[in-house]
Amino acid sequence: MNNFFIKKFFYGDIPEEKGGGSDYQTKHDSTSWPLWEVFIRSKQGLDHKHAGSLHAADAQMAIENARDVYTRRMEGVSIWVVESKYITASNPEEAGELYEPAADKIYRHPTFYQLPDEVNHM
Amino acid sequence: MKSNLIDYTLHLADTALILSQRNSEWCGHGPILEQDIAITNISLDLLGQARNFYQYAATLTGGEATEDSLAYLRTEREFKNLLLVEQENGDWGQTILRQYLFSQFQYLMFEKLQQCSDEQLAAIASKSIKETAYHLRWSSEWVCRLGDGTKESHERMLLAIEELWRYTGEMFESAVYETIINVASLKEDWMQRVSAVFSEATLPVPENVFMQTGGKKGIHTELLGFMLTELQYVQRTYPGAEW
């Protein structure tokens, strides 16, 4: 029997010890189904967005469960599912080295251009 | 002629309502949250179909009749639903099999009804068939999953077949009022499709089973009375009560 421990973060990747998120244990045995992440595209032309997660025995069932759980109110036109264990997440404890160096590099934002008047909504 | 049409519309409405009521008994009791939502969704789809048929039947009947009076104030002997759909939920396998056997029939029946001479019934059928296509897909996958699953799930499916198969013959026997489509003509197609799914599910198709009939004429198993008691309780106890 394989036991996968998945560190799963919710609500903006706040680790549990800091007040949120939870550890998910996905047991691959006869009594529990693996966890799947669901991505829904809401309209033609827009990208798929993470909608949530659910349990299912296989990919086909995950699509159907997602259809029932996440598209009941016409939210979607396309569904992607991927088993949660295949997602690798960045570690929130490494946030400092990963994200903070970008903070003082304002020249990376295209805010120094003079835009012609004709260009709107930038 | 018109009374035939009313009776036939009521038969379609009653069948959808009673299966909806049965499936709704799973609400909050499903084997897993996602499937609880799935079966409840199917229940709501069927309730929507029932309402469309009852509203049409009420228009045809005229007078004081409304969709509510037809659903809540008719007695057991006036209900014309198929015997299959009033059978108990049993375990998940039995509920799945009941849904599959019915959805497979309902899909073929709606295909025909879409092209029938009555515009309103045809319109309801073309609206509903998309829902039924999903019920069919969902339930047939479950039949395969359980039939070709573990030893226990396979055995439970065998028991479910033994319990429910005897109610399938009625679907293809025309009632006196059933003149709009010829249900007998659907039998061969139904049998082929069910055989294909059962074969994938490693389940046997029963042969020479005595078929129980009567639901279309209002002669039901004892189970329907108990269901209607619960379904109609509020309107019977507080006549005219509204939300």
Side-chain angles (χ1 to χ4, degrees):
Chain A
M1 190 196 302
N2 296 318
N3 284 346
F4 293 95
F5 283 88
I6 295 172
K7 189 82 174 170
K8 186 171 159 57
F9 300 108
F10 292 109
Y11 312 121
D13 283 358
I14 302 163
E16 196 169 35
E17 55 272 21
K18 291 177 189 164
S22 62
D23 282 335
Y24 254 77
Q25 183 186 6
T26 311
K27 281 187 199 164
H28 285 234
D29 60 25
S30 58
T31 57
S32 73
W33 293 341
L35 193 67
W36 298 74
E37 300 300 323
V38 179
F39 300 83
I40 306 276
R41 194 176 74 197
S42 58
K43 258 194 305 188
Q44 300 290 351
L46 298 176
D47 52 0
H48 287 72
K49 288 204 167 58
H50 188 229
S53 50
L54 46 73
H55 294 93
D58 51 46
Q60 187 61 37
M61 196 200 278
I63 293 267
E64 282 166 23
N65 286 350
R67 179 260 191 197
D68 284 332
V69 176
Y70 294 112
T71 67
R72 305 179 60 197
R73 300 173 190 86
M74 299 173 51
E75 293 94 335
V77 294
S78 171
I79 300 172
W80 287 351
V81 292
V82 61
E83 220 182 311
S84 305
K85 68 179 181 184
Y86 294 119
I87 290 187
T88 309
S90 62
N91 188 344
E93 282 157 21
E94 294 164 3
E97 65 227 56
L98 286 175
Y99 313 117
E100 277 172 29
D104 62 351
K105 299 180 175 61
I106 55 168
Y107 49 82
R108 290 179 182 168
H109 293 273
T111 49
F112 300 96
Y113 296 100
Q114 293 290 337
L115 285 180
D117 291 340
E118 294 78 23
V119 179
N120 295 318
H121 310 302
M122 286 290 281
Chain B
M1 270 313 280
K2 193 180 169 192
S3 78
N4 277 353
L5 182 58
I6 294 172
D7 282 348
Y8 179 58
T9 308
L10 284 173
H11 155 68
L12 295 172
D14 292 341
T15 297
L17 178 70
I18 296 300
L19 186 55
S20 166
Q21 178 76 2
R22 272 293 185 227
N23 284 342
S24 76
E25 291 170 15
W26 276 105
C27 185
H29 300 275
I32 187 165
L33 174 73
E34 289 83 354
Q35 295 304 325
D36 193 302
I37 294 174
I39 192 81
T40 316
N41 265 348
I42 292 175
S43 177
L44 284 172
D45 285 347
L46 290 166
L47 185 63
Q49 295 176 10
R51 287 194 60 188
N52 285 330
F53 288 125
Y54 279 131
Q55 283 162 2
Y56 183 42
T59 313
L60 291 169
T61 309
E64 305 269 290
T66 64
E67 52 174 324
D68 284 340
S69 74
L70 293 173
Y72 291 127
L73 300 175
R74 282 154 63 239
T75 61
E76 192 184 340
R77 289 297 298 267
E78 291 169 287
F79 267 71
K80 298 170 178 56
N81 59 281
L82 296 168
L83 295 178
L84 176 68
V85 300
E86 72 199 39
Q87 299 310 306
E88 285 175 311
N89 287 341
D91 57 18
W92 184 246
Q94 192 171 319
T95 296
I96 291 301
L97 185 69
R98 183 184 61 203
Q99 188 64 48
Y100 170 65
L101 296 172
F102 175 71
S103 293
Q104 185 68 80
F105 166 76
Q106 198 192 33
Y107 186 81
L108 298 172
M109 188 264 290
F110 278 162
E111 271 186 339
K112 283 269 193 288
L113 201 59
Q114 282 188 103
Q115 293 153 13
C116 78
S117 54
D118 188 279
E119 271 179 36
Q120 189 61 32
L121 287 182
I124 298 172
S126 22
K127 177 173 177 286
S128 308
I129 197 168
K130 288 177 204 136
E131 296 167 347
T132 304
Y134 183 75
H135 305 167
L136 180 56
R137 170 175 155 170
W138 178 86
S139 59
S140 62
E141 279 171 14
W142 264 107
V143 168
C144 295
R145 196 173 280 129
L146 294 178
D148 193 18
T150 63
K151 187 166 174 285
E152 182 178 351
S153 71
H154 182 80
E155 276 166 12
R156 284 176 182 243
M157 289 309 283
L158 291 179
L159 285 176
I161 293 172
E162 195 182 322
E163 180 64 32
L164 296 176
W165 193 261
R166 72 188 81 156
Y167 301 108
T168 57
E170 184 187 28
M171 299 191 287
F172 309 103
E173 278 188 17
S174 292
V176 188
Y177 50 77
E178 208 164 9
T179 50
I180 289 203
I181 60 169
N182 175 8
V183 277
S185 70
L186 304 174
K187 187 172 183 179
E188 203 182 315
D189 208 357
W190 182 85
M191 191 58 98
Q192 270 179 11
R193 295 183 194 214
V194 170
S195 301
V197 168
F198 275 25
S199 152
E200 200 185 329
T202 70
L203 293 167
V205 177
E207 283 169 28
N208 300 321
V209 173
F210 177 78
M211 291 296 175
Q212 301 285 347
T213 60
K216 288 179 176 181
K217 288 184 287 191
I219 301 165
H220 293 277
T221 58
E222 63 183 9
L223 300 165
L224 184 67
F226 292 101
M227 285 188 79
L228 291 184
T229 304
E230 190 169 316
L231 180 75
Q232 300 179 334
Y233 172 79
V234 174
Q235 277 305 317
R236 298 286 191 191
T237 313
Y238 306 100
E242 283 179 33
W243 286 108

